[in-house]
Amino acid sequence: MRKWIAITFLLILGFFMLRIAGAFPFGENTWKVARQYVKNVTEEKWWVAEHYVDKGIKENRGSNLVTSIVVNYRGFDTLGEVTVLFLAATALAFLLSSCTCFRKYERIEASLILKTASDTLYPLLILFGAYIFIHGHLTPGGGFQGGTVIASAVMLMLLAHFSFHPNHEVLSVTEGLAGIVFAAIGLAGLIWGRSFLANNILPLGHWNRLFSAGVIPLIYIAIGFKVGSELSGLITDMFKVTKEE
Amino acid sequence: MFFFASSIALILIGLYAVLVKRNIMKMVIGLSIMDTGVNILIISLGFIRGKTAPIINAKDLLVRTSSKVVDPVPQALVLTAIVIGVAVTAAALSIVMLMYSKKKSLEIEEYKELKW
């Protein structure tokens, strides 16, 4: 009974969602479509996305336009996002610290294949994560992705070795320092530049080089450290409920 | 159109799992599927046929860029949404772990304390 009510509700919802989506021109240039509906638009007026795309290289000198939007144009939003992640990690640590429930279960020793493979992959994965967040302004990827790759390396080691303990103090100090660096770069922009998180306090450099794009690589490296240590600490907390002290 | 239809189908499948399934773990999986569907929907809204990714690594992309690349704003928004999705899933899973430790059951019917 409950199942059929739910299915009817979902079908009605899906019908209306499909109707709305069907009215949207898929694969068309939406900037041009939007222009037809708005009167009195001269060519000098830039649409937001068009401005990001056309002026992004000139203003930020970062090849990856998604990075220059995430870190520079919408940098304040990213600061909030990092805060959300921090809040989730803190809440999780608080919730799981009271849980002593799974300690009586025996953990099975990991197989030889997993142990050997994770010993080999651990330094390589950390190096790959660092590569991803250092080149965030040139290639696809960035701080969030690189940090997640580093956390996956830590998770692999935790699965393979029962005796692997990441140092929790070091992780939380790294996380705090990276957050402070992000906020300090923003405040430096407020003092010496145009606005909070402004990108005119450092020389922009040449297009498509590693040392370019002003403060964008610095902020993304800080985000990489922050997300990596945060997610590593989160995974360690989740594993801790199975360990006896 | 195919992308819109398939992403809406993913959203509905996730919502179905949240509404109907009685196992808490399956409800969390449903939340995760719904998250993926929303991300695909937003990404496909920014797609423009025959254009390349918004990474300007060639000289000929430097002039008249807006007629050669797809919309980067939805991709930046989805980057945010993925990170928040990870945080939500982790929080939900840890709450499930705590609930299981109290009653040794994953069935939602067993938890009646918040009902009245």
Side-chain angles (χ1 to χ4, degrees):
Chain A
M1 180 62 196
R2 194 171 66 153
K3 196 172 161 185
W4 292 108
I5 293 175
I7 286 177
T8 327
F9 168 70
L10 289 177
L11 282 180
I12 295 169
L13 190 69
F15 173 72
F16 283 109
M17 282 170 86
L18 259 183
R19 272 196 65 183
I20 294 169
F24 191 87
F26 177 71
E28 300 281 316
N29 192 339
T30 41
W31 308 328
K32 276 185 190 152
V33 176
R35 241 192 215 127
Q36 293 167 2
Y37 290 100
V38 183
K39 304 271 186 266
N40 305 325
V41 175
T42 52
E43 282 302 309
E44 295 90 62
K45 274 193 184 166
W46 295 90
W47 294 83
V48 176
E50 235 176 352
H51 177 97
Y52 290 166
V53 168
D54 276 342
K55 298 278 179 84
I57 291 287
K58 204 180 151 204
E59 288 176 356
N60 282 320
R61 226 49 75 74
S63 299
N64 189 348
L65 290 173
V66 179
T67 297
S68 73
I69 289 173
V70 166
V71 180
N72 193 267
Y73 293 117
R74 305 180 67 89
F76 199 58
D77 188 22
T78 306
L79 190 59
E81 180 191 354
V82 168
T83 316
V84 169
L85 204 61
F86 171 71
L87 197 67
T90 316
L92 215 140
F94 170 69
L95 280 175
L96 291 182
S97 65
S98 65
C99 178
T100 54
C101 31
F102 298 99
R103 291 224 172 116
K104 61 177 183 294
Y105 292 105
E106 276 297 312
R107 251 187 80 176
I108 305 165
E109 188 95 353
S111 69
L112 184 68
I113 298 171
L114 182 60
K115 278 183 176 172
T116 318
S118 61
D119 283 344
T120 319
L121 281 176
Y122 180 60
L124 290 177
L125 274 175
I126 288 190
L127 185 70
F128 182 53
Y131 169 82
I132 288 178
F133 67 67
I134 289 172
H135 290 76
H137 58 300
L138 300 176
T139 55
F144 294 105
Q145 295 90 327
T148 317
V149 170
I150 288 175
S152 74
V154 172
M155 182 166 155
L156 203 58
M157 284 302 269
L158 280 166
L159 282 174
H161 299 287
F162 196 58
S163 57
F164 182 75
H165 291 283
N167 191 338
H168 223 277
E169 299 285 308
V170 173
L171 285 180
S172 51
V173 167
T174 315
E175 185 192 324
L177 275 181
I180 289 172
V181 166
F182 190 174
I185 291 172
L187 286 177
L190 195 63
I191 297 169
W192 290 292
R194 286 186 305 264
S195 60
F196 189 69
L197 286 167
N199 196 7
N200 58 354
I201 55 174
L202 285 179
L204 287 179
H206 292 285
W207 161 74
N208 224 356
R209 297 271 170 82
L210 182 58
F211 292 101
S212 65
V215 296
I216 289 178
L218 296 180
I219 293 177
Y220 240 6
I221 287 169
I223 292 177
F225 272 104
K226 188 165 167 59
V227 172
S229 52
E230 209 151 48
L231 289 183
S232 305
L234 202 149
I235 290 166
T236 317
D237 282 336
M238 285 181 120
F239 269 89
K240 213 181 259 171
V241 293
T242 61
K243 284 180 183 166
E244 64 266 17
E245 299 296 310
Chain B
M1 202 54 221
F2 170 73
F3 286 98
F4 290 154
S6 53
S7 58
I8 287 172
L10 273 181
I11 294 172
L12 293 182
I13 289 169
L15 201 55
Y16 174 80
V18 172
L19 287 176
V20 174
K21 291 291 170 189
R22 288 185 167 83
N23 191 321
I24 310 173
M25 216 63 181
K26 287 179 184 169
M27 292 162 86
V28 174
I29 293 173
L31 275 181
S32 202
I33 293 173
M34 217 153 77
D35 205 35
T36 314
V38 172
N39 289 345
I40 296 174
L41 183 65
I42 299 176
I43 282 284
S44 54
L45 283 179
F47 174 71
I48 302 172
R49 201 170 274 114
K51 298 192 177 179
T52 182
I55 295 168
I56 316 299
N57 53 4
K59 276 252 159 60
D60 60 327
L61 285 174
L62 279 172
V63 285
R64 292 178 49 75
T65 313
S66 61
S67 61
K68 287 168 188 159
V69 297
V70 301
D71 196 350
V73 178
Q75 304 190 4
L77 289 178
V78 165
L79 188 59
T80 312
I82 289 173
V83 177
I84 304 300
V86 168
V88 167
T89 310
L93 283 177
S94 64
I95 291 171
V96 171
M97 277 164 83
L98 277 180
M99 286 166 81
Y100 183 78
S101 75
K102 292 279 189 301
K103 292 204 171 170
K104 302 287 171 222
S105 166
L106 283 176
E107 296 296 307
I108 197 74
E109 310 266 301
E110 305 274 325
Y111 297 90
K112 294 205 167 90
E113 284 84 356
L114 283 177
K115 268 187 175 177
W116 72 86

